[in-house]
Amino acid sequence: MVKKKGNLFHITSDRTEYQAKNVLIATGPFQKPRIPAFANDLSKDVLQLHSSDYRNPSQLIEGKVLVVGGGNSGAQITEEIAREREVYLSTSCRFSFMPLSMGNRIIFWCFDKLGILKASSTSYIGRKIQKRGDPIFGFELKKAIQEGKVIIKGRTLNCNGNIVTFNDDSLHNVHNVIWATGFTSDYSWLDVTGILGENGKPIHNRGVTNVPGLYFLGLPWQYRRGSALLQGVGNDANYLMEQLKK
Ligand SMILES: Cc1cc2nc3c(=O)[nH]c(=O)nc-3n(C[C@H](O)[C@H](O)[C@H](O)COP(=O)(O)OP(=O)(O)OC[C@H]3O[C@@H](n4cnc5c(N)ncnc54)[C@H](O)[C@@H]3O)c2cc1C
């Protein structure tokens, strides 16, 4: 738990207690698996996994497989399972694909050199990327779709027993569902008023909050595209160090 008393933060961990003038929260953007509430309406016979618990296809039971969520996690999991069996992939957006590497360089190296990782959230490029979302990196899923190993479905609307309904009015009888539906924030341990917005996300400017001494690092689009990436977090860290020194 983190509380503020006077000018000091009181931090209680499962082992000990600390007091600090400054607290920098770097708990990452992937805190709590997000699974839609209607997952509870699936029959107990259906194997359900969040993408964070998926390791390989041997975890799955006999029968049809549905992956919900067409981001990079959903795409990679789908493609891996499709090597062994037919997979349904439910997505609410159109796919765009990009190579994972160019020559012998990973695509993020190229993004870095082109300045894309440095695009701020309010810049023209930054707004465009946020609107479009990330492409799928690599063409393996595209190939599996073309070969008929992956069947694309629309957005998942609800579940009942073994039946899942999609927004194109189609239904499917499934036996395995993998929720590649992302993560939500969990700041239930942060007992400091005025820090979180109505959406439960931190209110900050480049990681600096309105509460003196409280900072965030590693949030997606904290300042730039690269803020939550290994190649980009250093810029934000340097900025916060300057603020801390002041
Ligand atoms: C599938 C996937 C693929 C990715 N691929 C890439 C990639 O190719 N390149 C790239 O740059 N980035 C990639 N990322 C993003 C990458 O995960 C982040 O860049 C990096 O992990 C962020 O590091 P972090 O330390 O900020 O957060 P994390 O690595 O999430 O670390 C946060 C830590 O805080 C701990 N924590 C949380 N709450 C508390 C608490 N209350 N008390 C104490 N500790 C707590 C957590 O246990 C964890 O150890 C990927 C992410 C995912 C999910």
Side-chain angles (χ1 to χ4, degrees):
M1 210 70 188
V2 175
K3 292 183 185 214
K4 186 153 196 193
K5 292 181 191 163
N7 287 334
L8 281 180
F9 292 96
H10 291 246
I11 302 114
T12 317
S13 82
D14 53 357
R15 289 187 211 150
T16 182
E17 290 186 19
Y18 307 90
Q19 292 187 354
K21 281 186 185 164
N22 299 290
V23 171
L24 193 150
I25 298 173
T27 48
F30 312 112
Q31 291 159 6
K32 211 164 105 186
R34 183 200 289 140
I35 298 180
F38 54 71
N40 292 325
D41 301 331
L42 277 172
S43 156
K44 297 233 173 331
D45 303 337
V46 176
L47 180 103
Q48 298 190 53
L49 289 173
H50 185 263
S51 56
S52 53
D53 292 320
Y54 171 85
R55 298 292 174 268
N56 58 58
S58 71
Q59 291 169 283
L60 304 176
I61 58 172
E62 283 285 304
K64 286 192 178 165
V65 185
L66 168 68
V67 177
V68 182
N72 277 283
S73 296
Q76 288 177 15
I77 291 169
T78 300
E79 187 276 319
E80 182 173 80
I81 300 170
R83 290 178 214 166
E84 300 182 7
R85 57 211 276 193
E86 192 180 68
V87 190
Y88 294 88
L89 174 59
S90 162
T91 175
S92 48
C93 49
R94 276 167 61 94
F95 288 118
S96 61
F97 295 92
M98 249 194 186
L100 187 55
S101 54
M102 286 181 125
N104 57 356
R105 298 287 192 183
I106 189 96
I107 193 83
F108 281 89
W109 181 88
C110 308
F111 287 170
D112 193 27
K113 293 297 159 208
L114 291 169
I116 292 171
L117 296 187
K118 292 194 180 73
S120 76
S121 55
T122 50
S123 67
Y124 174 74
I125 298 180
R127 277 182 283 131
K128 223 171 161 170
I129 304 173
Q130 285 176 88
K131 202 171 158 198
R132 282 185 56 173
D134 270 348
I136 302 299
F137 295 106
F139 296 106
E140 294 83 355
L141 176 67
K142 191 177 184 182
K143 191 164 169 268
I145 296 169
Q146 285 165 349
E147 289 171 354
K149 293 176 181 165
V150 174
I151 296 151
I152 300 296
K153 306 301 294 180
R155 191 179 174 82
T156 300
L157 295 184
N158 54 58
C159 312
N160 188 6
N162 281 63
I163 303 292
V164 177
T165 311
F166 304 99
N167 69 351
D168 53 6
D169 282 342
S170 65
L171 306 171
H172 264 286
N173 203 357
V174 298
H175 303 91
N176 299 271
V177 179
I178 296 164
W179 300 103
T181 36
F183 295 81
T184 54
S185 314
D186 179 9
Y187 294 112
S188 51
W189 45 269
L190 184 57
D191 187 11
V192 181
T193 44
I195 283 296
L196 303 177
E198 280 177 17
N199 57 6
K201 292 189 176 164
I203 303 166
H204 68 95
N205 181 11
R206 294 190 71 174
V208 181
T209 73
N210 287 330
V211 175
L214 192 60
Y215 305 90
F216 284 89
L217 181 62
L219 298 173
W221 289 99
Q222 175 154 319
Y223 181 52
R224 297 182 166 129
R225 169 64 182 91
S227 285
L229 294 176
L230 302 177
Q231 280 157 297
V233 69
N235 291 316
D236 292 343
N238 286 337
Y239 177 77
L240 290 182
M241 278 310 293
E242 284 165 24
Q243 305 305 310
L244 275 164
K245 280 185 206 157
K246 283 181 196 165

